[in-house]
Amino acid sequence: MTEHFRSLIQNSWDIILVLDADGTIRYVGPSIERILGYKPEDLINQNVFKLAEFYYPHKHTVFREIVNEALSSSNTSIVTECWLRHCDGSRRYFEVIGQNLLDQPSISGIVLNLHDITERKRVEKELSMALHTALEASRVKSQFLTMVSHEIRTPLTAIIGIAEVLKETPLTLEQQKYVNVLETAGNTLLILVNDILDFSKVESGTLSLDQVHFDIRELVEKAIAAAAVRAGEKGLTLTVEIMPDVPSGIMGDPGRLTQILLNILENAIKFTERGEVVLRIKNNPDAKDDEGLLFSISDTGIGISEEKLNTIFDSFTQVDSSIRRKYGGTGLGLAISSRLVNLMGGRMWVESTQGIGSTFYFTIKFGSPSMDDPYIIQGGKR
Ligand code: ADP
């Protein structure tokens, strides 16, 4: 058994040390020469703490603690990390596994297994630096987007405002056409800028949510009124089903909920040529408490192919370029909505069959209002 043990540790890629109870080195595996450049015979009968002082001059107390811990009681093991100095002066990092086997007749000693993790540490450091750089770059990009969007919004609002004023003045038919183009293009740009602003706020973590008391039925009624006009123009039926057990008064951000609902409803109407769009709201059967609501918006539209289903929640993603040409849009709406839903403690997903239709689902956790929470009638702000 002893021979078997010796052969195992002699061929080990790790440094293996066997110590007496007082810390004297009785055995050190040959791999120490390859890993740290020292000859094993020079270390035999030395005290491990000298070895530790020798290789690990500044913080040898840490190493001493590790060994002491391993020495302290029988059949205990410890796992930790330390660094030792190579004979060329460089640092090597080790994962240390210490096992007290003093009770065992076959081995009888403290066995320290030192696994060289210098390369792993180097990669970890590089990865952490790369992650830090990437996060910093992403933060700067988001900040830049926020600033630029803000700066564009101000003159854009003036352009749209002036176009509206101009429309009220006597104009020739040709001039009216030009002003209409100006107004439509201005509004499209404003939607895009608002989307970019929202998206960069969500990405940089600077978007804050309101927490106010509102009536969900009232909010849905208002949101649906705008969508119903579009649905009516396309000859689609727009239905809303709110289950009776959905509480009316809830706490949350009504403005952002309206934004999510409108985005999904408008998509459903945009991508449906005939049939219906149905919005259903019920208590989320999967929520642990009764604060979670499950929303679903079903349509009988063009549907989404299976391979595109995974990417439609990514930013600037449209199913293909023909969608952009035919239906317009920026590919930001779902990215923003799904991130807003996440911020509200829920998730968003979709089920869809091409040519049959799609159902977008999302859950949101709302709070229950207390007696002191003022009731907000208007559907919040953006
Ligand atoms: P946008 O509508 O501005 O292009 P979205 O992020 O809202 O951006 O949607 C991304 C893409 O997902 C759309 O361009 C469309 O291809 C697809 N999509 C979204 N909703 C539906 C739907 N109800 N039916 C079919 N395709 C949809």
Side-chain angles (χ1 to χ4, degrees):
M1 185 63 188
T2 309
E3 270 317 300
H4 175 65
F5 175 68
R6 276 191 193 282
S7 130
L8 271 180
I9 54 180
Q10 262 171 351
N11 290 303
S12 170
W13 278 78
D14 294 344
I15 298 175
I16 295 182
L17 293 165
V18 182
L19 318 173
D20 272 352
D22 66 356
T24 310
I25 297 170
R26 290 289 170 227
Y27 177 83
V28 54
S31 54
I32 197 158
E33 193 166 353
R34 183 179 50 81
I35 300 172
L36 289 175
Y38 298 99
K39 291 204 179 303
E41 53 270 30
D42 295 344
L43 305 173
I44 297 294
N45 292 330
Q46 288 204 41
N47 192 283
V48 74
F49 297 119
K50 283 193 196 148
L51 168 78
E53 279 179 33
F54 185 65
Y55 292 135
Y56 197 62
H58 307 302
K59 294 186 187 165
H60 74 273
T61 47
V62 179
F63 195 74
R64 184 188 282 267
E65 271 165 28
I66 295 165
V67 180
N68 270 342
E69 204 178 322
L71 286 168
S72 61
S73 57
S74 61
N75 278 323
T76 51
S77 58
I78 48 150
V79 180
T80 184
E81 286 178 10
C82 74
W83 64 265
L84 302 173
R85 204 168 281 287
H86 190 279
C87 75
D88 67 7
S90 64
R91 270 177 165 197
R92 308 293 301 177
Y93 285 87
F94 293 90
E95 186 177 63
V96 185
I97 302 173
Q99 183 84 34
N100 183 332
L101 298 173
L102 285 164
D103 288 355
Q104 304 212 356
S106 55
I107 300 166
S108 185
I110 313 290
V111 181
L112 293 185
N113 189 102
L114 301 161
H115 180 61
D116 189 353
I117 53 167
T118 311
E119 185 56 19
R120 194 178 86 197
K121 283 279 170 197
R122 190 188 61 75
V123 173
E124 272 174 16
K125 199 171 164 194
E126 269 179 23
L127 277 180
S128 124
M129 274 161 63
L131 181 69
H132 178 77
T133 313
L135 286 176
E136 183 57 17
S138 162
R139 196 188 57 79
V140 171
K141 184 201 73 183
S142 299
Q143 246 178 9
F144 175 74
L145 274 180
T146 310
M147 197 189 72
V148 169
S149 317
H150 258 303
E151 293 301 315
I152 295 176
R153 220 159 46 153
T154 316
L156 192 56
T157 319
I159 293 170
I160 296 168
I162 294 294
E164 277 167 11
V165 174
L166 206 59
K167 261 171 70 176
E168 303 305 318
T169 62
L171 296 173
T172 65
L173 274 179
E174 197 174 10
Q175 285 169 332
Q176 272 176 23
K177 214 170 75 188
Y178 293 153
V179 175
N180 282 340
V181 171
L182 187 67
E183 197 186 14
T184 312
N187 280 321
T188 309
L189 197 53
L190 190 61
I191 292 170
L192 174 63
V193 170
N194 278 337
D195 276 355
I196 293 176
L197 192 59
D198 275 350
F199 186 72
S200 57
K201 274 194 205 160
V202 178
E203 289 288 280
S204 63
T206 53
L207 186 131
S208 55
L209 293 172
D210 284 343
Q211 193 63 17
V212 296
H213 178 187
F214 67 96
D215 183 326
I216 189 147
R217 289 178 171 78
E218 198 179 296
L219 178 143
V220 168
E221 206 175 301
K222 278 189 184 142
I224 213 87
V229 177
R230 276 277 292 136
E233 282 167 5
K234 289 185 82 174
L236 304 173
T237 317
L238 179 58
T239 317
V240 181
E241 286 175 21
I242 305 181
M243 297 306 279
D245 59 350
V246 170
S248 275
I250 51 177
M251 292 289 289
D253 189 327
R256 293 297 176 184
L257 177 59
T258 306
Q259 185 181 351
I260 299 165
L261 276 175
L262 279 182
N263 176 40
I264 308 233
L265 278 171
E266 278 166 6
N267 273 349
I269 295 165
K270 184 160 79 172
F271 295 108
T272 304
E273 293 313 321
R274 67 187 71 83
E276 59 171 3
V277 172
V278 186
L279 163 64
R280 294 186 177 87
I281 306 176
K282 60 178 180 177
N283 273 322
N284 181 8
D286 296 331
K288 285 186 198 69
D289 41 44
D290 56 3
E291 292 171 359
L293 292 184
L294 172 66
F295 297 76
S296 69
I297 293 115
S298 305
D299 65 55
T300 52
I302 59 171
I304 303 160
S305 68
E306 212 165 305
E307 74 265 26
K308 298 288 178 189
L309 278 180
N310 294 329
T311 57
I312 57 164
F313 295 110
D314 297 346
S315 49
F316 296 107
T317 301
Q318 296 187 312
V319 166
D320 58 52
S321 54
S322 64
I323 293 278
R324 187 178 176 78
R325 282 195 299 277
K326 187 165 174 198
Y327 298 98
T330 59
L332 268 178
L334 286 177
I336 295 169
S337 297
S338 62
R339 282 161 178 76
L340 284 175
V341 164
N342 293 154
L343 281 178
M344 295 181 183
R347 65 186 190 98
M348 184 180 279
W349 69 101
V350 57
E351 288 166 6
S352 185
T353 311
Q354 245 180 330
I356 305 281
S358 314
T359 302
F360 281 80
Y361 296 91
F362 63 92
T363 58
I364 291 187
K365 280 191 100 176
F366 292 103
S368 308
S370 72
M371 296 293 279
D372 309 331
D373 293 314
Y375 172 61
I376 307 294
I377 293 176
Q378 186 53 45
K381 58 182 188 299
R382 223 188 126 164

